Amino acid sequence: MNCSFDPDLTLDEFTLRLLESLGSARFPLSGSMELTDRCNLNCVHCYINQPAADPVASTKELDTHAWMSVMDQMAEAGTLFLLMTGGEPLLRQDFPEIFTHACRRGMLVTLFSNATMLTPDLADLLAEWGVHSLEVSLYGATRETYEKVTHQPGSYDRCLRGIELALSRGIKTNLKTVLLTTNRHELEAMQTLTEKFGMDFRFDSTLWPRLDGSTANMQYQISNQEMLQIDLEDPKRREAWEKTAHEYEGQLIRAEEIFSCGAGFRSFHIDSQGRMTPCMMVRKPAYDILSMGFTEAWARIGQVRELKREMRTSCETCAAGTLCTQCPGWSLALSGDYESISPEICEIGLLRFAQFMQTPVL
């Protein structure tokens, strides 16, 4: 049995009906697994990557049997959508075993990869077992820019070969990027390259501090003013921000509860050591699934979801909340608590609010 999905309903329709059936119930429908912190690239902006051959990082990672046990528990709890990420998940020699086990348990697997390690055999495996989608990070439209980001000679050509391999196997593949001071000038060229391949393309422009506490990678962050300009120049992004602004106009989404997103409500994250957290960005608290079990870890994450605000910050009364990405993850990364405000994140939220609330509803 593979994990391809071919019902009478489309997957989107099925998912919508599934969510409707859940109502307001909390349920672990979607999860992400960080198979490794290690990567074969050394990207300037990355918040997690450890060297590919790092023996300490490798030793800390769950082994094949442990990951299978975790996935068994996830499947039994009802998880349907599973993201496999890293680091670079294809670094793991046991990736085929881990991936096929998830498929056998009926989960729809999305894979995040830089595609530089995708081989014909791995591409065949993904196609045979019906990977739900492959999302490939593209850091530039030219070799010079791409490898200025990755610090790995030859990685640009390997990435393109990996993309071509995936497409030749009929694998649903999308490209994405993180806009940096080093590759911002190639945004349009990356979009054009994506169109050439016939794929969807998305990008983000917000960097995250490293998990080890370093903020050295933040020097590659583009300015808030440039972020806003990109939002204005891209029709899809502009439309999305305008729709959000008017759909949630007047709502104070952070008036009382600390968590205003789906983290820990319909989704969860498991790091390379088997610890469950509300999401990739909110790394505390972290509960060891192998010692306490998935069900107990999920229950404890639910208690975190119930936390109420105590610090009396301006977030509670800010009308720009729906256009702001301030979240407990930012507060933890920068201040060590769930509520402190990041001035830079606050600024871009207010800039978007001022811009997109001026646009009339069509």
Side-chain angles (χ1 to χ4, degrees), residues 3-51:
C3 63
S4 61
F5 190 82
D6 188 25
D8 294 331
L9 292 172
T10 67
L11 183 58
D12 287 344
E13 291 171 333
F14 171 79
T15 303
L16 181 60
R17 292 193 183 184
L18 180 57
L19 291 172
E20 288 175 347
S21 71
L22 290 174
S24 60
R26 182 172 171 268
F27 190 83
L29 184 63
S30 176
S32 55
M33 296 184 349
E34 227 158 46
L35 297 183
T36 178
D37 293 352
R38 298 172 295 124
C39 188
N40 61 314
L41 305 182
N42 185 23
C43 297
V44 296
H45 65 283
C46 191
Y47 70 94
I48 188 173
N49 66 312
Q50 298 297 318

Side-chain angles (χ1 to χ4, degrees), residues 212-285:
D212 60 11
S214 170
T215 57
N217 61 328
M218 302 298 286
Q219 65 183 293
Y220 299 97
Q221 171 75 59
I222 64 175
S223 70
N224 283 335
Q225 288 72 25
E226 193 165 10
M227 283 192 208
L228 181 63
Q229 189 60 39
I230 293 169
D231 290 339
L232 294 172
E233 293 173 353
D234 186 290
K236 290 184 179 180
R237 290 176 72 89
R238 179 169 187 154
E239 181 181 356
W241 283 119
E242 290 171 352
K243 180 180 179 181
T244 299
H246 293 289
E247 185 175 351
Y248 296 95
E249 183 176 2
Q251 295 188 28
L252 302 178
I253 64 171
R254 298 185 179 91
E256 182 180 358
E257 297 179 348
I258 286 177
F259 285 85
S260 58
C261 61
F265 181 65
R266 293 280 164 75
S267 62
F268 58 88
H269 179 65
I270 301 174
D271 70 11
S272 63
Q273 299 179 51
R275 299 173 298 193
M276 181 189 292
T277 62
C279 72
M280 290 186 196
M281 302 297 102
V282 180
R283 297 282 176 151
K284 295 179 181 179

Side-chain angles (χ1 to χ4, degrees), residues 71-133:
M71 288 185 287
D72 286 340
Q73 295 181 59
M74 290 165 54
E76 290 163 8
T79 300
L80 176 61
F81 300 102
L82 178 61
L83 165 63
M84 291 186 178
T85 185
E88 172 49 54
L90 298 186
L91 260 178
R92 291 192 58 130
Q93 294 184 350
D94 60 354
F95 174 80
E97 290 80 10
I98 293 173
F99 169 70
T100 55
H101 189 77
C103 293
R104 288 191 179 97
R105 293 310 310 255
M107 288 181 275
L108 301 177
V109 180
T110 294
L111 176 63
F112 282 5
S113 173
N114 58 44
T116 62
M117 300 187 70
L118 189 63
T119 64
D121 286 345
L122 284 173
D124 288 341
L125 180 81
L126 296 178
E128 177 186 355
W129 286 87
V131 66
H132 179 51
S133 66

Side-chain angles (χ1 to χ4, degrees), residues 190-216:
M190 284 188 278
Q191 291 171 322
T192 299
L193 181 61
T194 303
E195 292 171 1
K196 174 184 174 182
F197 280 120
M199 295 181 292
D200 291 333
F201 178 76
R202 64 183 176 89
F203 60 89
D204 193 10
S205 52
T206 304
L207 300 187
W208 203 269
R210 287 183 58 89
L211 293 183
D212 60 11
S214 170
T215 57

Side-chain angles (χ1 to χ4, degrees), residues 247-358:
E247 185 175 351
Y248 296 95
E249 183 176 2
Q251 295 188 28
L252 302 178
I253 64 171
R254 298 185 179 91
E256 182 180 358
E257 297 179 348
I258 286 177
F259 285 85
S260 58
C261 61
F265 181 65
R266 293 280 164 75
S267 62
F268 58 88
H269 179 65
I270 301 174
D271 70 11
S272 63
Q273 299 179 51
R275 299 173 298 193
M276 181 189 292
T277 62
C279 72
M280 290 186 196
M281 302 297 102
V282 180
R283 297 282 176 151
K284 295 179 181 179
Y287 300 112
D288 190 306
I289 294 178
L290 294 182
S291 63
M292 71 171 52
F294 182 95
T295 301
E296 177 62 23
W298 175 248
R300 295 199 187 188
I301 292 295
Q303 296 172 5
V304 178
R305 284 280 313 185
E306 297 175 1
L307 293 175
K308 305 297 182 183
R309 291 187 170 273
E310 298 179 351
M311 294 181 65
R312 306 282 81 88
T313 69
S314 58
C315 282
E316 294 173 295
T317 57
C318 183
T322 57
L323 299 177
C324 178
T325 58
Q326 175 68 43
C327 75
W330 276 111
S331 301
L332 279 172
L334 298 176
S335 304
D337 60 67
Y338 288 120
E339 299 181 64
S340 293
I341 296 172
S342 164
E344 291 77 14
I345 299 301
C346 180
E347 180 187 54
I348 186 59
L350 292 173
L351 286 172
R352 284 172 174 151
F353 181 77
Q355 176 65 50
F356 296 114
M357 281 305 297
Q358 296 174 4

